Amino acid sequence: MKAKILKINRSKPDLSKIHTAANAIRKGNLVVFPTETVYGIGADATNASACRRIFKAKNRPSDNPLIVHVSDIKMAVEIAIIPKKYYKTIDGIWPAPITFIMKAKKTLPSVVTSGLSTVAVRMPADSIAISLIRESGAPIAAPSANISKKPSSTSGKHAIDYFKKSVDVILDAGPSKFGIESTVLDLLTFTLLRPGAFTTDEITKAFGRRPKLLKETEGVSSNKKPISPGMKYKHYSPDTRVLLFEGDTKKLRSILIKYKKRFVFIGSKETASKLSGISKKNIILGRKSDRKSIARNLFRSLIELDSLGAEFCITESFSEKDYGLAIMNRLKKASGHKYFRTAGELENYLG
Ligand code: AMP
Ligand code: MG
């Protein structure tokens, strides 16, 4: 199959293109579409066989449930039971880059929820995504548009590279606004399951309470072991080995000089300047304090990394404030939890 690739302008969308994509959804076909977080690969959430095709195209394990995207709160009520005490808050927050886990209505195909009694629901804030859902007349189940374990698509080009042969339509609206996936909040336990583009402070402000955090989403510093293989957590991972350095960046240059032009650095402008001339390439995410840019540029950089033929990649840690929690969660996974607290540890590892 060869996907129909339709370039579309966010500020002046060509409605005939939305129409073509919505028709594909209604027929049970797959559509890649932009959201404000990352690109999604979508199917009619009420059509079990269409949703099965998502798992196949992504090579996604069937026990990893899908996020269902809705265009209004009425559509959410058709598939999920919104807890009464949170209804007003959710109605106030949405559309936004936050996904809520709620009790699922029994009518929802079990392929969407991987057989769980709960469902993940989100109303995206991207005008094209909303028009597509509305025009399709059905909720759209859509995980991130990447092959499982690979970094998520933050531009139409990434999604085309991954799915041009396995979906029917790709709506290409250029780069994503946030570039990092939605935050996932379990409303049954008020626990943050995945940090993302909606910050913990924003949740606290909207709900009047702070969500519980899972161990895995806590700071790097909470991990007692500096180097942990943790391969089972591998996600967002390029083929090139990613090493996450948490130590004093002043020492990086002297360690890495032995590996001149053999590694790529992905990180802040400040640290990149310390490695000029010795890295094969510096991919700059942004200034250290500009976590919004760092989040936006992260997946694009991890995807670029594999085209550079480096032996390994060095990246660094960021403050876990606001978007930093999501950034560090993705970086830890990209590195397979291989992180180094001191220059000595990195030196020993590299040999
Ligand atoms: P993706 O859309 O690929 O970025 O990932 C969706 C995320 O939401 C995955 O981490 C899923 O495991 C999670 N998710 C989806 N449905 C549920 C659910 N019912 N309960 C808990 N997590 C879920
Ligand atoms: Mg994903």
Side-chain angles (χ1 to χ4, degrees):
M1 186 203 312
K2 203 160 177 275
K4 207 177 274 174
I5 296 166
L6 305 174
K7 285 217 181 281
I8 189 157
N9 188 330
R10 269 203 185 81
S11 47
K12 233 177 41 193
D14 179 341
L15 294 181
S16 71
K17 293 177 180 171
I18 301 274
H19 220 76
T20 303
N23 268 336
I25 294 282
R26 276 196 296 264
K27 279 198 224 145
N29 291 331
L30 300 185
V31 172
V32 165
F33 62 98
T35 80
E36 77 278 32
T37 56
V38 298
Y39 276 69
I41 170 171
D44 177 350
T46 64
N47 180 336
S49 64
C51 291
R52 257 179 239 118
R53 289 184 58 201
I54 297 179
F55 286 88
K56 194 157 174 241
K58 276 187 62 112
N59 195 21
R60 184 177 177 102
S62 60
D63 64 355
N64 194 2
L66 308 177
I67 294 178
V68 181
H69 294 71
V70 297
S71 54
D72 54 62
I73 202 142
K74 267 199 295 191
M75 208 183 241
V77 170
E78 280 163 26
I79 57 168
I81 300 163
I82 303 183
K84 257 204 189 112
K85 59 178 172 180
Y86 296 138
Y87 188 97
K88 257 180 104 171
T89 310
I90 292 173
D91 200 19
I93 291 175
W94 270 350
I98 181 162
T99 299
F100 297 112
I101 308 292
M102 303 183 265
K103 278 258 169 239
K105 290 266 171 83
K106 297 229 163 31
T107 45
L108 201 63
S110 64
V111 59
V112 173
T113 58
S114 301
L116 297 175
S117 59
T118 52
V119 60
V121 190
R122 176 163 108 84
M123 188 191 297
D126 184 291
S127 57
I128 292 170
I130 289 281
S131 310
L132 173 65
I133 303 162
R134 201 175 286 141
E135 179 89 17
S136 304
I140 296 183
S144 51
N146 53 283
I147 305 298
S148 264
K149 302 198 179 79
K150 293 285 163 208
S152 306
S153 296
T154 58
S155 74
K157 184 185 177 308
H158 298 152
I160 292 166
D161 288 345
Y162 285 132
F163 294 115
K164 59 178 178 290
K165 291 200 184 127
S166 52
V167 306
D168 303 272
V169 178
I170 298 177
L171 292 176
D172 177 358
S176 311
K177 178 176 167 199
F178 286 102
I180 209 148
E181 298 91 338
S182 64
T183 300
V184 178
L185 179 69
D186 183 350
L187 288 182
L188 279 70
T189 57
F190 213 72
T191 305
L192 189 75
L193 300 186
R194 174 175 75 183
F198 198 84
T199 68
T200 308
D201 285 347
E202 285 175 298
I203 295 175
T204 307
K205 195 164 164 226
F207 285 89
R209 66 189 276 214
R210 233 180 141 68
K212 282 177 243 161
L213 300 190
L214 294 174
K215 246 204 154 29
E216 204 214 318
T217 53
E218 284 170 5
V220 176
S221 50
S222 70
N223 192 311
K224 298 278 185 295
K225 275 193 190 155
I227 305 167
S228 123
M231 296 308 276
K232 72 177 172 164
Y233 295 119
K234 205 155 186 176
H235 264 302
Y236 314 112
S237 43
D239 294 327
T240 312
R241 190 161 46 129
V242 176
L243 309 176
L244 175 52
F245 182 67
E246 292 195 271
D248 183 350
T249 54
K250 274 194 225 113
K251 306 217 172 99
L252 258 187
R253 191 176 177 91
S254 63
I255 301 169
L256 292 171
I257 199 129
K258 274 201 268 177
Y259 301 91
K260 199 169 173 181
K261 303 288 177 196
R262 286 161 62 187
F263 71 93
V264 165
F265 171 72
I266 297 181
S268 68
K269 192 165 188 237
E270 291 90 334
T271 307
S273 70
K274 297 176 186 156
L275 297 173
S276 57
I278 64 163
S279 61
K280 198 172 166 76
K281 179 164 182 178
N282 285 333
I283 306 181
I284 295 171
L285 299 173
R287 288 198 165 276
K288 203 143 197 182
S289 59
D290 181 6
R291 286 179 290 278
K292 198 159 194 176
S293 295
I294 289 164
R296 191 189 310 118
N297 291 321
L298 185 58
F299 287 136
R300 174 180 68 66
S301 305
L302 291 173
I303 292 172
E304 183 190 343
L305 172 64
D306 278 339
S307 66
L308 298 173
E311 279 174 40
F312 60 94
C313 163
I314 295 283
T315 185
E316 65 182 321
S317 58
F318 295 91
S319 153
E320 297 205 318
K321 272 192 236 151
D322 49 66
Y323 302 106
L325 194 63
I327 293 166
M328 289 313 297
N329 171 271
R330 306 308 188 267
L331 277 180
K332 282 186 258 175
K333 291 191 175 194
S335 70
H337 289 243
K338 231 185 267 110
Y339 32 84
F340 304 89
R341 287 237 178 117
T342 64
E345 277 169 13
L346 180 62
E347 215 163 11
N348 284 342
Y349 176 83
L350 289 172

